[in-house]
Amino acid sequence: MSLSVIAWMGWHWWPHWGLAFAAEDAPLAWWQAALLVANATAAAALACVHAAMGGRQRAVRWWTLLALGMVFAALDERFMAHEAVQDWLQFDLGWPRRWAQGVILVYALGGLALLRAVWAEGSATLRRWAIAALAAGAAAIALDLAFDTIAMQIVEEGLEALAETLLLAGLFSELGSAASPRR
């Protein structure tokens, strides 16, 4: 589904892909925010399932924390918060551009927290999906820090959408397993 939406964007905006993919307020950014909200919803549903089934409080806390983190990421994606912080650091405080770009590393910390939650409370299937998502996300962060061209911005945004889609697939898989445990 996600790939179909992204392919439709490319077809619809052809030959001006930069307008659909690279700009921070492009249709792809809206799609990414929607994917992040879906991830947050799936994580919150996992917290609810664990709570309803008398699961460990630690599991409920981890899934709730993941849901809140995804809501934060969705808001950041939609309202370009980390870009505003980068601009403030660079232009108002005079930090070198490379240092100001370090704000994106907050997402790397979020990835580590995700990995911790998945390893502590997730199944082996979710772990595989999460590792794939984190690899795509790490590649997107690396591209964001290393390049400043439209072409690399398009690739970076595509990797971000891939990461969000992979994690969502893993969370749906986990939710299906948690909601209907085998007896």
Side-chain angles (χ1 to χ4, degrees):
M1 170 68 178
S2 187
L3 181 59
S4 299
V5 170
I6 294 169
W8 175 84
M9 286 177 201
W11 175 80
H12 182 72
W13 287 90
W14 175 263
H16 307 289
W17 289 11
L19 297 174
F21 298 133
E24 291 296 336
D25 60 349
L28 183 57
W30 281 87
W31 181 244
Q32 288 175 295
L35 287 169
L36 288 164
V37 168
N39 275 294
T41 304
L46 277 166
C48 291
V49 166
H50 282 280
M53 297 178 83
R56 296 185 319 266
Q57 285 298 75
R58 186 177 83 166
V60 174
R61 283 193 300 269
W62 273 115
W63 295 123
T64 301
L65 180 63
L66 179 60
L68 292 172
M70 291 294 161
V71 168
F72 171 80
L75 291 171
D76 177 62
E77 184 64 42
R78 179 56 203 108
F79 297 108
M80 301 178 288
H82 78 269
E83 288 87 357
V85 171
Q86 286 175 344
D87 289 346
W88 175 71
L89 292 172
Q90 183 178 354
F91 299 117
D92 293 347
L93 297 184
W95 284 26
R97 181 177 175 277
R98 288 289 172 204
W99 288 13
Q101 277 188 308
V103 170
I104 195 68
L105 294 177
V106 167
Y107 278 96
L109 293 174
L112 292 175
L114 167 66
L115 191 58
R116 171 68 175 99
V118 165
W119 232 260
E121 303 303 331
S123 66
T125 301
L126 176 57
R127 289 179 191 143
R128 287 190 293 274
W129 282 107
I131 288 170
L134 289 170
I141 290 171
L143 288 176
D144 189 30
L145 293 172
F147 297 99
D148 204 22
T149 65
I150 292 295
M152 285 296 108
Q153 181 73 21
I154 290 171
V155 173
E156 175 207 335
E157 295 297 328
L159 285 169
E160 288 176 15
L162 176 63
E164 293 149 1
T165 302
L166 290 169
L167 182 59
L168 185 58
L171 289 173
F172 279 165
S173 173
E174 186 76 7
L175 188 56
S177 296
S180 58
R182 297 194 177 151
R183 297 181 202 272

